[in-house]
Amino acid sequence: MATIEPALRRGRLCFAEARPTVQFIFLLRFLTGTALCASVAGDDGHLGRTLWGAAAWVMMIFAVYLFNGVMDVPEDRLNGSRRPIVRGDLPPGFASAVAIGAALLSLAAGFALSPLMGGMLAVVLTLGYLYSGPPFPLKRSSGGTVLSGGVATLLTYYGGAFSYASEIRSSLMLVVFVLAASLWTALVGSTTKDLPDIEGDARAGRMTFAVMHGERVLRLTICCTAIGLALAFAAAVLLLKLPLWPSALAMAGGALVITVLCFKGRRREPYGAFMATQYALHGLAILPLLLI
């Protein structure tokens, strides 16, 4: 019992280091891809495959973000983070070993489901390493962050669709939602996340958009991007007569809140509003399809 308790505690710390809120939003993205595919595939899908695929995907995201926590220690210290590794509660070596084990387990589960699923998992794992790992981590530039975040998000939706139907049965509704939500994540998520960390990122040598252009330009960019994406999504839903108007309203509301917070000079709250919008965006896309 004396040896089990420290291991369980370290396991909980690994889970906390890997950011449960981010893991949950990736699960929501996966299930949204499943739900939008089910609207086309109908009863041809398989719930067991979907659950297996979701477990493999979440395990992979856990591995990626735990590895990111190990590699982000210098920046996290400069930015005042209180995550377990920075606090000294979780040894980086232990976290790295758990991340490697989780990555291998997710790949094994993915390839057991299908070669395509395993391949998609391998791509996102590779992006996760390239984002944080040596020799040239993508996290040092905003372009690298947008690329890795956008591709990982897009593949998550299609991973969910593929797990359900054993093939990707695309539809206009799936394409429009995936494009809008992926751009929202890549462009609004990456910029709001950088807002509170400008000084620390600069001292750590990151050449992000915020570091290069300053806080004032960043805030204006966030507002314009969020509002522009929300308007484009709403226009597509309206013109194409898609049943995604609740999600479009959620994005519009989120864009408005983020804009107000940016003009008020808030730093951490815009990212919180971005995440809240993510939950609403996906929940409102899934719920109507479950009620049909």
Side-chain angles (χ1 to χ4, degrees):
M1 189 71 174
T3 57
I4 293 176
E5 286 184 359
L8 290 175
R9 180 175 179 274
R10 285 187 174 184
R12 289 193 297 269
L13 290 172
C14 285
F15 182 67
E17 184 68 42
R19 284 161 265 185
T21 56
V22 175
Q23 294 172 52
F24 182 64
I25 196 61
F26 269 96
L27 176 60
L28 273 182
R29 291 166 182 159
F30 189 94
L31 295 178
T32 301
T34 297
L36 293 175
C37 179
S39 69
V40 178
D43 295 331
D44 291 343
H46 195 282
L47 181 59
R49 285 177 53 88
T50 301
L51 295 176
W52 183 279
W57 205 272
V58 171
M59 184 68 70
M60 177 268 298
I61 295 300
F62 168 81
V64 166
Y65 276 85
L66 184 55
F67 175 70
N68 174 255
V70 173
M71 301 305 297
D72 262 7
V73 171
E75 295 95 325
D76 284 348
R77 283 176 177 155
L78 290 170
N79 289 320
S81 172
R82 296 296 299 158
R83 290 207 296 267
I85 293 178
V86 174
R87 293 199 313 262
D89 295 336
L90 179 62
F94 180 86
S96 297
V98 172
I100 292 170
L104 293 175
L105 186 60
S106 72
L107 284 176
F111 279 107
L113 192 62
S114 83
L116 180 58
M117 186 65 175
M120 286 193 285
L121 285 162
V123 168
V124 180
L125 276 170
T126 301
L127 281 172
Y129 175 81
L130 292 175
Y131 177 78
S132 300
F136 305 111
L138 295 174
K139 67 183 181 181
R140 290 191 173 276
S141 70
S142 294
T145 301
V146 169
L147 174 66
S148 56
V151 173
T153 299
L154 188 147
L155 287 178
T156 300
Y157 295 115
Y158 282 103
F162 177 79
S163 293
Y164 178 77
S166 301
E167 60 181 351
I168 298 175
R169 299 190 186 182
S170 195
S171 66
L172 191 58
M173 183 164 62
L174 178 64
V175 170
V176 169
F177 183 91
V178 167
L179 183 61
S182 296
L183 288 172
W184 178 263
T185 299
L187 300 178
V188 180
S190 63
T191 48
T192 53
K193 183 176 178 295
D194 285 346
L195 189 55
D197 297 337
I198 297 175
E199 291 83 5
D201 286 348
R203 282 182 284 167
R206 287 191 180 187
M207 298 302 293
T208 64
F209 181 89
V211 171
M212 294 175 66
H213 299 283
E215 185 174 338
R216 185 171 178 274
V217 174
L218 176 64
R219 290 183 184 278
L220 182 61
T221 301
I222 291 171
C223 297
C224 292
T225 303
I227 292 173
L229 282 175
L231 290 175
F233 185 31
V237 168
L238 184 63
L239 293 173
L240 299 173
K241 299 179 180 178
L242 300 173
L244 292 172
W245 59 267
S247 293
L249 287 176
M251 186 180 285
L256 180 60
V257 171
I258 288 170
T259 298
V260 170
L261 290 172
C262 283
F263 273 105
K264 283 188 172 183
R266 303 295 177 86
R267 281 196 159 191
R268 297 194 178 277
E269 287 84 348
Y271 182 72
F274 157 78
M275 288 298 293
T277 304
Q278 287 274 283
Y279 295 132
L281 188 69
H282 293 84
L284 292 171
I286 296 173
L287 187 60
L289 296 172
L290 295 177
L291 298 177
I292 292 176

